[in-house]
Amino acid sequence: MILTGFHSIEEKLRSLKEGTASGYKLYYSKPGPRVKKIIAAAKEAGITTEQTDDKKLDQMVSSLSQALRDHRGVLLEIEGEEKKSVNIVDFDAWLKTGAKGEKATVVVLDRVTDPHNVGAIIRSCDQFGADLVVLPEHKAASNIEENEVIARTSAGSSAWVPLAIVNNLVRAVEQLKDAGFWVYGADAGGETCGKVDFAQKSVIVMGSEGTGIAQLLEKQCDTIVSIPTCGKIDSLNVSVAAGVLLFERFRRLQLEK
């Protein structure tokens, strides 16, 4: 696995626990100030570093998608690790632990297929304190080959925000409701988010970029919430909409303190 991008590499290094750096190696060319800090962090974590040239770095990233080939003079190679986020958690296990608190925020992504949108949503989840992101195993950007795009677009937040991939979103939401969560589906025509009294344990469901929330999943929602806008196009991008709702939820929690 090859990881590129300053933020992604920095957060990956920060997420490493003591004694878990085996199989990691940092390559760099001409180190600027930012790269020097990354090198120092890698060495502190016990990771081998090697100075090389841009030509070799270009070769190492040649199999990545175009968006990930801009290594900017540094990359992290990880051997023996599957191309999946290290923050993936078991959903049932999380329900037994993470859902036990008085307050929690869960984001459910229904058929959000663009990994850039998933990455941007995860970044907002990190910034606004979401406790879990739930994605379906199929019809979503949770495929193994897309995780590097998600990691980079999230600016490293995917190293911190727990992700659960489930076989059935409807069943997962039912389990969350059984655990005391109130479910809010994001869709036009719902109650304005500024007027919604979010529950202490809230689930925010974001639907497909094109067709919204699937009908069976929408039936599980306790409230449909919308974002008031004044633009000429149909709706907000799903990642922007998720950020707005997460901020509103976060703002309410801050006022309660």
Side-chain angles (χ1 to χ4, degrees), residues 3 167 227:
L3 195 61
N167 291 323
I227 300 169

Side-chain angles (χ1 to χ4, degrees), residues 183-225:
V183 182
Y184 303 86
D187 202 357
E191 186 174 356
T192 300
C193 61
K195 297 180 180 179
V196 171
D197 186 14
F198 286 97
Q200 294 292 296
K201 299 172 72 170
S202 293
V203 175
I204 298 174
V205 181
M206 305 302 303
S208 162
E209 296 95 331
T211 58
I213 302 171
Q215 186 174 6
L216 289 177
L217 185 57
E218 185 174 354
K219 288 181 179 180
Q220 293 296 322
C221 296
D222 299 298
T223 301
I224 299 300
V225 59

Side-chain angles (χ1 to χ4, degrees), residues 28-33 35-36 39 51-54 57 72-74:
Y28 63 95
S29 53
K30 298 177 181 178
V35 174
K36 287 181 179 178
I39 294 170
Q51 185 167 14
T52 182
D53 54 34
D54 284 332
L57 297 182
R72 300 176 68 184
V74 64

Side-chain angles (χ1 to χ4, degrees), residues 87-89 94 130-134 157-158 160-164:
N87 58 340
I88 292 179
V89 300
W94 186 88
D131 299 279
L132 181 70
V133 177
V134 181
S157 298
S158 60
W160 301 100
V161 180
L163 305 178

